[in-house]
């Protein structure tokens, strides 16, 4: 039975959850994280004697490390074929006045509501994304110089080894911090797992985001 023509329209309730990441974006993140994890774990086996003795098969570990390192850029390159991924890359590459306010509040450990304005990505996420992308490219370049010994003179290979080793340590520390931040925010993890987040979380953590 149809309602009367003059009956008031029912208010449309907004969806409880917001779409944050597409399936392609979640695949890029998971695959990149898996490859990075393999690189870090195999590097630990290669450089920590106790782990090297426990695991053994050094030649196999070296090959797995090399293959994971070479494959690391592949998920991002595949992701460029998807519009949503390209749109988020553009957002990550833009740094506005509100991002400076976010960094200032973070430096002062100011957690008051509204003290850290952010769009879809906050300033910390933008800096992390830029840093890890640059570090991955440096690791790839230095790794190739170490692998293909005929491509560079000895002094270059020595410098590449030095940079590769110390940057690997820095990456491990930064990744540990990144994982720690994620563990402290279940809703952010849910967004990467399912692609959606709650409206309350989005309003609180990313008030300038307009999905």
């Amino acid at each position: 039975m149809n309602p009367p023509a003059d009956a008031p329209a029912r208010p449309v309730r907004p969806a409880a959850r917001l779409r944050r990441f597409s399936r392609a974006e979640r695949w890029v993140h998971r695959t990149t994280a898996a490859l990075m994890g393999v690189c870090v774990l195999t590097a630990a086996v290669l450089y920590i004697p106790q782990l090297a003795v426990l695991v053994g098969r050094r030649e196999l570990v070296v090959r797995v490390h090399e293959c994971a390192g070479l494959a690391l850029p592949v998920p991002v390159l595949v992701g460029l074929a998807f519009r949503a991924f390209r749109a988020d890359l553009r957002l990550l590459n833009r740094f506005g006045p509100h991002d400076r306010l976010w960094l200032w509040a973070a430096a002062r450990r100011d957690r008051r509501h509204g003290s850290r304005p952010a769009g879809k990505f906050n300033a910390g996420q933008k800096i992390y994304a830029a840093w890890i992308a640059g570090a991955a490219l440096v690791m790839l370049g230095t790794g190739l110089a170490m692998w293909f010994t005929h491509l560079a003179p000895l002094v270059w290979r020595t410098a590449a080894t030095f940079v590769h080793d110390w940057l690997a340590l820095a990456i491990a520390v930064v990744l540990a911090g990144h994982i720690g931040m994620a563990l402290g925010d279940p809703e952010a993890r849910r967004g990467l797992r399912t692609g959606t987040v709650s409206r309350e979380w989005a309003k609180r953590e990313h008030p300038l985001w307009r999905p």
Side-chain angles (χ1 to χ4, degrees):
M1 181 175 178
N2 296 326
D6 57 348
R10 285 187 176 183
V12 178
R13 297 182 61 186
R17 301 189 66 80
L18 299 173
R19 174 65 61 180
R20 184 164 173 82
F21 296 115
S22 67
R23 183 177 298 179
E25 290 176 290
R26 302 199 306 275
W27 176 86
V28 170
H29 184 269
R30 291 169 184 170
T31 309
T32 302
L35 290 171
M36 184 67 76
V38 171
C39 287
V40 171
L41 290 176
T42 51
V45 172
L46 292 173
Y47 286 98
I48 300 176
Q50 293 83 351
L51 291 178
V53 172
L54 181 65
V55 176
R57 307 193 67 176
R58 180 179 178 84
E59 188 65 26
L60 176 61
V61 175
V62 170
R63 292 292 169 261
V64 172
H65 183 79
E66 291 170 344
C67 291
L70 288 173
L72 196 56
V74 173
V76 174
L77 295 176
V78 173
L80 292 175
F82 297 90
R83 182 182 301 175
F85 183 74
R86 296 196 304 271
D88 276 356
L89 282 184
R90 286 192 292 269
L91 292 177
L92 284 168
N93 285 328
R94 292 174 182 169
F95 207 87
H98 61 279
D99 293 309
R100 285 185 280 273
L101 291 175
W102 191 97
L103 289 174
W104 178 245
R108 293 183 293 130
R109 297 187 178 181
D110 185 353
R111 296 186 176 276
R112 290 177 301 170
H113 181 70
S115 65
R116 299 189 184 189
K120 185 172 184 179
F121 302 103
N122 63 44
Q125 291 167 333
K126 293 178 180 181
I127 291 174
Y128 170 79
W131 188 90
I132 202 69
L137 290 176
V138 173
M139 291 295 284
L140 179 62
T142 53
L144 290 173
M146 295 162 59
W147 190 6
F148 299 101
T149 56
H150 62 283
L151 294 180
L154 178 60
V155 64
W156 288 18
R157 298 199 305 272
T158 303
T161 302
F162 178 84
V163 172
H164 197 87
D165 291 353
W166 282 102
L167 186 54
L169 179 60
I171 289 175
V173 173
V174 171
L175 283 177
H178 179 67
I179 294 171
M181 294 290 289
L183 291 176
D185 195 340
E187 190 63 25
R189 297 200 312 273
R190 191 175 295 111
L192 282 170
R193 188 173 66 252
T194 66
T196 64
V197 294
S198 69
R199 285 184 175 273
E200 292 77 11
W201 178 89
K203 185 178 180 180
R204 182 181 69 251
E205 301 293 337
H206 300 269
L208 303 181
W209 177 32
R210 299 294 180 264

